Amino acid sequence: MLQLLGDQLIGSPRLALFELVKNAYDADADEVVITFHNVGTTKAKITIRDNGQGMSLQTIEDVWLVPGHDHREKDREKNVRSPKYGRLPLGEKGVGRFAVHKLGDRIRLVTRAEGEAECIVDFDWDVLLEKTYLAEAEITVRERTPQVFKTGTGTLIEISRLRSADWTRGEVRDLYRQVTSIASPFGDRIGDFDVRLEVPEHPEWLSTLPGVEQLLEKAPYTFEFDFDGRRLHYRYEFRGIPRLKLNKRVVERDEIHFQIPPGEEPDVLDPSDEPRPRRRGRIAADEETLAGIGPVSGRFYIFDRDKKILPLYGDTRFLERYLDQNGGVRVYRDGVRVYNYGEPSDDWLGLDLRRVNEPAKRLSRNITVGVVDLSLAESYALQEKTNREGFVETEAYQRLKRIVLGALTILQVERNIDKEHIRQVTGEPSGTSEGIEGPLAELRRLARANRVDKILEPAIHKIETDYAILRENFARSGVSNAGLAVIFHEVERGVRVLTGAINDPDFDIESLREQAGQLQGLLETSTQLLRNTTRKSGSLRDIVRTARDLSLLRFRLHGIKLTCPALEEDGPDATAVFSSGLVLGALTNLIDNAVHWVKVRHPNADDRRIYVNVFPDFEGGPAIIVADNGPGFLDDPATIVSPFFTRRPGGSGLGLYFANLVMDLNEGHLVFPAAEQADVPEAFDGAVVALVFGRH
């Protein structure tokens, strides 16, 4: 059993050494030296020496030799900290010390505590495994006059008859990367903790490794954030690209409305142990989101591996190799790394998967070097797995992921602004759309689960068919990728609205039919982007009424109060010439944005308000006004109407671009007036947008 704990529980020899380094941290050491002796020979051995507290004879007998001893866990629960650096112990399960048995069959422990004799413990697994019972497997622990630790305290572990003969140059360099990453670059939360790796017979193996700071200086984009549940502070910097004439840019803000991806959170199981329906998670983080996690900080360095950009930094192959080995997002608690987040095989945030769908917008691990920092005392709801490979994937862990992804969304937004400037300089094209294959498959699955598949399948099939025809026709017409994307985005959004409606436990089949019909209508009218000849005179009040009716379900689900003077008796109206299908799509986009942003600012549904009205005498022509009491716009109009720009996690960045394009096609304008210009009541102090139609 003891051998299995070391051999099977610890995933790899490198992870075993990582565990021994963590033990040195718990012992209040500030220096750990790992030395490989006689590598590649039968006399090979590994030594790990630290200058921590060491152990007395009693500690060895009563703690170190007792499997599963929980003294570390009790110390953490009681907030008992180490005497020198005030560290909380990382260990909690009492099995990390058996990592030595993953490495070799003969182990010698030499240790000395303050005021005590030096102690020696010898293990020989060949001898121990001959015994049937633990009581027969004797281990000699003896004291002696200090010979290794003549001054000071510490622990030396010597491991020989190594089980792995694969300690090659590459393996040792990978180990160096791992053990030297154990301390966070966030500063002196834990006191000094220096880890060194030495190979006396092959010093050249490590001499050519570059300093991390030197490489990180090459990152064109940097981002830092910290979130305490009440306030999000972040700082983004674009440092520029060598030999490209681009302005450097710094954005630093404090936000009280921190968006995170909504996700889904399971409810508590009922008495019959059957899971209840899943509910949508909140889209704005607060102190409740950090329960059991504590404050979260992060620092990210983002590189550009574009074939026109990377060569400008010099040693291309070396930088790419570094990013391949070190790319990803690591997690630290009290400045000590939680393995294996950030390893080449780990994509705990799903960055690469997200980038597959939107390569022009998203970050991926092979361009990202990032760290997330947590407090060990306050992140008590995050429990490390017994095999030391990350946290148990509890609800608290899912909240942590959403917090980090919310911060990365901000980084992506700011980076995409500068990426667009780079594309303009280098002549690279912008990104493209996602497609509806995935959303349609999910829609069909939910329809079957809710037993409405026979009712909806004809409409779903027609949407799928018309979408394919429309895509082919647009491709033949030579319309730009951005023009294609806005139409396809509208279809994708419509499919997702249908999916959300089916997820509503109080969904109404007639409402589903109506929304499916509207989606089909959008497909049928979308071809007007190719032949803009079907505009006719119509009532703006009628368009507002239709948009209101389509949104009633969403208003009810999210507790949003709508104020719409145009639909009251004798409310204002105006006539304009426009394509009703496209204008309806533009207006529902504006309403969709407003719904999202009032939810961000107001977690309490009682405070969410949206205003829609017709303004017959707006400057430039009659207008439809949409306002809300969300957080308002952060960016200038030219930026927010550009394709693929969004500050909304998971958003496509095409809603306002579509609305702007629709108004251009209808000889009108999309404008962002001040509230007083549009006679918007004071209660609606967020975003204000106007669809302004030309006078006829």
Side-chain angles (χ1 to χ4, degrees):
M1 286 295 293
L2 290 180
Q3 189 181 43
L4 285 173
L5 278 172
D7 194 38
Q8 303 293 325
L9 198 60
I10 307 298
S12 69
R14 292 201 305 269
L15 182 54
L17 282 166
F18 191 86
E19 281 298 311
L20 295 176
V21 171
K22 287 168 62 177
N23 286 348
Y25 168 89
D26 283 349
D28 234 7
D30 56 33
E31 180 180 84
V32 184
V33 181
I34 301 171
T35 307
F36 283 78
H37 306 268
N38 305 314
V39 176
T41 72
T42 57
K43 296 182 179 180
K45 67 178 181 179
I46 302 172
T47 60
I48 304 97
R49 177 168 178 160
D50 69 60
N51 62 348
Q53 296 175 353
M55 291 180 284
S56 65
L57 178 62
Q58 182 178 357
T59 302
I60 293 172
E61 290 181 338
D62 297 343
V63 177
W64 199 77
L65 289 175
V66 179
H69 198 287
D70 60 354
H71 76 293
R72 295 295 190 193
E73 184 177 12
K74 290 179 177 178
D75 284 350
R76 275 173 60 171
E77 290 175 352
K78 297 176 181 178
N79 198 35
V80 176
R81 295 178 177 270
S82 62
K84 186 174 182 180
Y85 290 114
R87 299 168 179 166
L88 280 176
L90 299 172
E92 55 183 347
K93 303 183 189 305
V95 295
R97 70 193 69 125
F98 294 105
V100 292
H101 307 304
K102 179 75 175 181
L103 296 168
D105 288 327
R106 184 174 179 83
I107 297 100
R108 165 168 284 199
L109 171 77
V110 181
T111 184
R112 184 190 180 195
E114 186 175 1
E116 301 285 342
E118 192 171 82
C119 297
I120 300 176
V121 186
D122 284 299
F123 290 85
D124 189 326
W125 281 107
D126 288 343
V127 175
L128 293 175
L129 289 176
E130 292 176 354
K131 309 299 181 183
T132 304
Y133 299 103
L134 184 62
E136 299 174 354
E138 292 188 353
I139 296 171
T140 301
V141 183
R142 56 191 175 89
E143 294 181 309
R144 71 181 183 188
T145 301
Q147 297 178 20
V148 175
F149 297 98
K150 294 180 180 180
T151 59
T153 61
T155 298
L156 169 68
I157 298 175
E158 181 181 292
I159 305 164
S160 55
R161 293 215 305 269
L162 301 183
R163 293 185 179 180
S164 174
D166 296 329
W167 291 108
T168 61
R169 177 178 181 272
E171 283 288 314
V172 170
R173 288 165 73 94
D174 284 344
L175 174 65
Y176 175 84
R177 176 178 58 82
Q178 289 181 351
V179 297
T180 55
S181 72
I182 189 171
S184 169
F186 272 85
D188 189 25
R189 173 182 286 184
I190 59 170
D192 294 331
F193 191 60
D194 181 39
V195 183
R196 300 204 315 272
L197 182 62
E198 298 177 351
V199 188
E201 290 86 5
H202 297 282
E204 73 280 1
W205 284 6
L206 302 176
S207 62
T208 58
L209 287 173
V212 174
E213 295 80 6
Q214 178 185 357
L215 287 167
L216 295 182
E217 283 298 316
K218 295 179 179 290
Y221 318 92
T222 66
F223 181 75
E224 300 176 20
F225 81 92
D226 60 83
F227 178 60
D228 62 5
R230 299 179 300 276
R231 176 192 63 89
L232 170 73
H233 173 80
Y234 67 87
R235 185 182 190 277
Y236 165 86
E237 180 179 359
F238 172 59
R239 298 167 166 178
I241 305 287
R243 289 179 276 173
L244 289 184
K245 293 183 178 180
L246 293 163
N247 293 328
K248 297 181 180 181
R249 192 169 70 93
V250 176
V251 178
E252 189 164 6
R253 290 195 176 108
D254 286 285
E255 300 285 349
I256 58 174
H257 310 296
F258 177 25
Q259 292 185 87
I260 57 176
E264 290 185 341
E265 299 173 347
D267 283 337
V268 181
L269 298 182
D270 63 22
S272 65
D273 288 331
E274 292 294 329
R276 296 175 180 174
R278 297 169 72 87
R279 57 184 172 84
R280 295 286 286 176
R282 61 182 64 199
I283 62 172
D286 56 17
E287 290 180 280
E288 184 179 338
T289 314
L290 292 182
I293 297 173
V296 182
S297 302
R299 179 177 298 172
F300 299 87
Y301 298 86
I302 310 300
F303 293 80
D304 197 325
R305 298 182 74 155
D306 184 276
K307 61 183 179 181
K308 294 185 177 180
I309 303 300
L310 195 60
L312 300 177
Y313 285 95
D315 193 344
T316 302
R317 291 181 59 189
F318 182 78
L319 184 56
E320 286 186 313
R321 188 165 60 251
Y322 170 79
L323 291 173
D324 289 339
Q325 293 177 348
N326 296 275
V329 179
R330 299 170 180 170
V331 177
Y332 292 82
R333 294 210 287 186
D334 272 11
V336 176
R337 187 174 173 193
V338 179
Y339 191 86
N340 59 342
Y341 298 121
E343 286 301 293
S345 60
D346 174 75
D347 187 16
W348 67 288
L349 294 170
L351 298 183
D352 292 349
L353 180 62
R354 287 175 170 84
R355 185 173 171 83
V356 167
N357 289 329
E358 297 178 285
K361 293 171 54 181
R362 303 288 188 177
L363 303 174
S364 60
R365 288 185 300 148
N366 71 350
I367 63 172
T368 303
V369 177
V371 294
V372 172
D373 192 49
L374 305 170
S375 161
L376 182 59
E378 296 182 80
S379 61
Y380 55 85
L382 299 171
Q383 300 294 322
E384 292 189 44
K385 296 178 182 177
T386 304
N387 66 0
R388 297 304 199 271
E389 295 186 0
F391 296 122
V392 178
E393 295 181 6
T394 61
E395 183 265 346
Y397 170 73
Q398 298 300 329
R399 283 188 277 119
L400 172 64
K401 285 177 60 175
R402 291 167 60 203
I403 290 167
V404 178
L405 288 171
L408 287 178
T409 296
I410 298 171
L411 166 56
Q412 286 170 170
V413 169
E414 300 297 347
R415 170 182 171 268
N416 287 341
I417 293 174
D418 293 306
K419 280 289 290 182
E420 188 59 34
H421 296 158
I422 294 172
R423 291 188 188 102
Q424 293 170 5
V425 172
T426 61
E428 289 293 315
S430 295
T432 57
S433 180
E434 294 182 27
I436 64 165
E437 292 79 5
L440 279 178
E442 177 66 7
L443 180 59
R444 282 192 167 104
R445 185 188 69 78
L446 287 171
R448 286 193 301 271
N450 289 277
R451 299 180 180 178
V452 293
D453 50 318
K454 293 183 179 179
I455 298 172
L456 284 181
E457 180 55 36
I460 295 174
H461 179 72
K462 183 164 178 25
I463 290 168
E464 191 173 38
T465 303
D466 290 350
Y467 179 88
I469 293 172
L470 179 65
R471 191 177 186 95
E472 183 179 351
N473 289 340
F474 267 58
R476 288 176 179 173
S477 71
V479 175
S480 69
N481 284 336
L484 282 168
V486 293
I487 289 298
F488 299 146
H489 160 61
E490 285 304 294
V491 180
E492 293 157 19
R493 189 184 68 84
V495 171
R496 295 183 193 280
V497 168
L498 271 173
T499 302
I502 293 178
N503 265 328
D504 176 23
D506 301 318
F507 75 84
D508 174 48
I509 190 62
E510 291 305 319
S511 296
L512 292 179
R513 279 185 173 140
E514 183 178 356
Q515 290 191 45
Q518 289 293 331
L519 184 53
Q520 293 176 53
L522 174 62
L523 281 165
E524 292 165 1
T525 57
S526 292
T527 53
Q528 294 176 53
L529 277 178
L530 297 179
R531 54 181 195 280
N532 187 25
T533 59
T534 57
R535 294 188 299 122
K536 60 182 180 180
S537 180
S539 163
L540 298 188
R541 180 196 290 169
D542 290 346
I543 287 289
V544 169
R545 179 178 291 108
T546 303
R548 187 274 312 269
D549 293 344
L550 289 174
S551 304
L552 282 176
L553 177 63
R554 297 194 70 203
F555 292 156
R556 186 174 77 249
L557 286 175
H558 301 296
I560 294 171
K561 296 179 178 65
L562 175 69
T563 300
C564 191
L567 299 185
E568 297 173 1
E569 187 175 355
D570 299 325
D573 191 12
T575 300
V577 176
F578 55 88
S579 169
S580 59
L582 291 176
V583 170
L584 179 60
L587 180 55
T588 53
N589 257 299
L590 301 186
I591 292 174
D592 177 71
N593 283 345
V595 168
H596 173 80
W597 290 107
V598 297
K599 289 167 59 183
V600 169
R601 183 177 179 185
H602 302 287
N604 187 339
D606 294 339
D607 300 325
R608 299 169 182 169
R609 294 180 175 84
I610 293 177
Y611 174 89
V612 182
N613 199 18
V614 174
F615 198 132
D617 299 315
F618 191 80
E619 181 180 353
I624 297 175
I625 308 295
V626 179
D628 59 51
N629 66 339
F633 294 113
L634 286 175
D635 306 282
D636 61 89
T639 299
I640 59 181
V641 300
S642 59
F644 309 110
F645 177 84
T646 180
R647 289 190 178 273
R648 180 171 168 174
S652 67
L654 292 169
L656 288 175
Y657 174 71
F658 174 76
N660 189 50
L661 181 59
V662 165
M663 295 313 295
D664 284 346
L665 291 170
N666 285 278
E667 299 181 6
H669 303 282
L670 180 73
V671 299
F672 303 88
E676 55 271 17
Q677 290 178 276
D679 288 347
V680 174
E682 291 183 3
F684 302 91
D685 56 352
V688 181
V689 186
L691 303 173
V692 183
F693 299 84
R695 300 187 184 278
H696 293 276

